[in-house]
Amino acid sequence: MYSVRQYLFPRTLEEAHQLLHNHPSNTIIGGSTYLRLGGKTIDTAVDISRLGLKYIMETEDTIVIGAGTTLREVENSPLLNRYFNGILNKSVRHIVGVQLRNLATVGANVFARFGFSDLNTALLTLDVDVELYQGGLMPLRQFLQKGVGGRDILVKLIIQKSERQASFQMLRNSQGDYAILNAAVSRLENDWRIVVGARPGRCEIAGGASAFLGEGSLTPERIDQATQMAVGEMTFGSNIRGSKEYRQGICPVLIKRAVQEVLAWK
Ligand SMILES: Cc1cc2nc3c(=O)[nH]c(=O)nc-3n(C[C@H](O)[C@H](O)[C@H](O)COP(=O)(O)OP(=O)(O)OC[C@H]3O[C@@H](n4cnc5c(N)ncnc54)[C@H](O)[C@@H]3O)c2cc1C
């Protein structure tokens, strides 16, 4: 469990950002679920739960998710369920249990860029920008690849609305454990996106395989070829949940399931 000298609720994002930078150990508090697994000594805990960042709303062209929105709210959102075959709702519903999902926030899951993140794998198949207090708007892909090189506050996610069809797949040793591997696929006409995460490294787009799927007919042979290409583009590793070879073995299966699900919704 972490320890805290003082626990503050800033009234504005500006104040939160200022507090964050007042001391090297000052820390933003989301749902506090992951932080409490560690033993960090925090000078000032900056709790952003009173900044009005808990919302899922739509504009004419976008869906906007505030950083303080919980995973449970994503899971149960009728608005999110209407888009992209409910991929975002589905991506979070296996994370631990309801109690944790009632606390854990979208902002922390995305900002922390966890290798095991299920949400980031699903989000990366969509057209998403992250809005950071200091860093401003940035495509999610760029954010996941490079981070922000410092401390900032994730304020919201902005998702472009479209008719994109999408599917999320994963394999877990047991309900509530981290995924051994996850994969998500989306399609908007000939624009396919294949994403693989929990490798156990951070999720990435298999660019070559995605382009290949968009270039020709979608025969079973070409889909198999694309899944093998995607495996070739990814690096895999071993950890307590699965070996590199096992991940390589299940990767084409998850991608193929996702492609087939997307095609079935055509
Ligand atoms: C036991 C366990 C199992 C989990 N399994 C999975 C899983 O299988 N799949 C999955 O996707 N996730 C999993 N998670 C992660 C979970 O989904 C949350 O992402 C995580 O717990 C952090 O959520 P939180 O809001 O409680 O963040 P906190 O614990 O409050 O914060 C985590 C980190 O994020 C920073 N932070 C929080 N909010 C912001 C913000 N808006 N801007 C900038 N920095 C911020 C904090 O400073 C801290 O460094 C698991 C977590 C736990 C504890």
Side-chain angles (χ1 to χ4, degrees):
M1 179 60 98
Y2 60 89
S3 60
V4 174
R5 189 182 65 80
Q6 62 171 347
Y7 197 101
L8 299 180
F9 291 91
R11 281 155 300 172
T12 62
L13 273 166
E14 189 183 1
E15 194 188 337
H17 190 256
Q18 182 63 52
L19 285 169
L20 178 63
H21 287 272
N22 276 354
H23 189 279
S25 75
N26 289 2
T27 302
I28 298 292
I29 306 290
S32 191
T33 57
Y34 201 76
L35 273 170
R36 73 184 64 189
L37 295 183
K40 197 172 173 186
T41 302
I42 296 172
D43 183 81
T44 304
V46 184
D47 189 321
I48 56 172
S49 63
R50 297 183 187 167
L51 294 182
L53 301 176
K54 203 184 201 351
Y55 56 83
I56 304 173
M57 52 172 247
E58 66 181 321
T59 68
E60 201 174 318
D61 303 321
T62 65
I63 299 167
V64 188
I65 307 179
T69 307
T70 66
L71 301 186
R72 183 70 171 160
E73 285 161 340
V74 168
E75 181 184 357
N76 288 336
S77 165
L79 167 58
L80 293 178
N81 213 22
R82 288 208 304 276
Y83 289 91
F84 319 116
N85 313 101
I87 188 174
L88 298 181
N89 313 62
K90 290 172 189 163
S91 72
V92 298
R93 71 181 177 197
H94 296 282
I95 298 176
V96 190
V98 171
Q99 289 93 336
L100 181 121
R101 298 198 295 277
N102 270 330
L103 293 170
T105 60
V106 167
N109 191 302
V110 174
F111 191 85
R113 304 191 301 143
F114 298 120
F116 56 73
S117 172
D118 295 296
L119 183 61
N120 279 337
T121 298
L123 283 168
L124 199 51
T125 66
L126 311 178
D127 299 304
V128 181
D129 285 324
V130 297
E131 187 179 310
L132 300 148
Y133 176 75
Q134 191 175 347
L137 276 182
M138 188 185 290
L140 175 70
R141 187 178 188 183
Q142 183 187 333
F143 172 75
L144 290 177
Q145 280 171 348
K146 299 189 177 149
V148 285
R151 296 192 300 158
D152 205 338
I153 303 173
L154 195 147
V155 179
K156 61 174 85 144
L157 303 178
I158 303 166
I159 306 168
Q160 292 301 317
K161 284 198 227 169
S162 70
E163 297 297 316
R164 197 170 269 283
Q165 305 286 306
S167 168
F168 176 81
Q169 305 288 326
M170 52 78 200
L171 188 70
R172 284 171 149 76
N173 279 321
S174 64
Q175 175 78 20
D177 195 6
Y178 296 112
I180 305 169
L181 194 78
N182 60 36
V185 170
S186 76
R187 176 198 197 183
L188 182 62
E189 296 172 1
N190 287 334
D191 178 16
W192 285 82
R193 256 172 243 170
I194 300 172
V195 179
V196 183
R199 301 171 290 111
R202 201 172 292 138
C203 58
E204 278 180 17
I205 298 179
S210 302
F212 177 79
L213 269 185
E215 282 160 5
S217 56
L218 294 161
T219 59
E221 294 73 27
R222 288 192 81 256
I223 292 170
D224 280 341
Q225 225 177 316
T227 62
Q228 291 305 335
M229 280 175 74
V231 175
E233 287 180 60
M234 294 287 153
T235 52
F236 298 88
S238 302
N239 65 5
I240 190 173
R241 289 183 175 76
S243 66
K244 172 181 170 180
E245 292 74 21
Y246 185 65
R247 289 188 161 94
Q248 276 167 338
I250 61 174
C251 186
V253 179
L254 295 188
I255 295 174
K256 192 169 171 181
R257 278 183 198 160
V259 170
Q260 284 172 337
E261 204 167 278
V262 165
L263 287 172
W265 277 313
K266 196 176 146 196

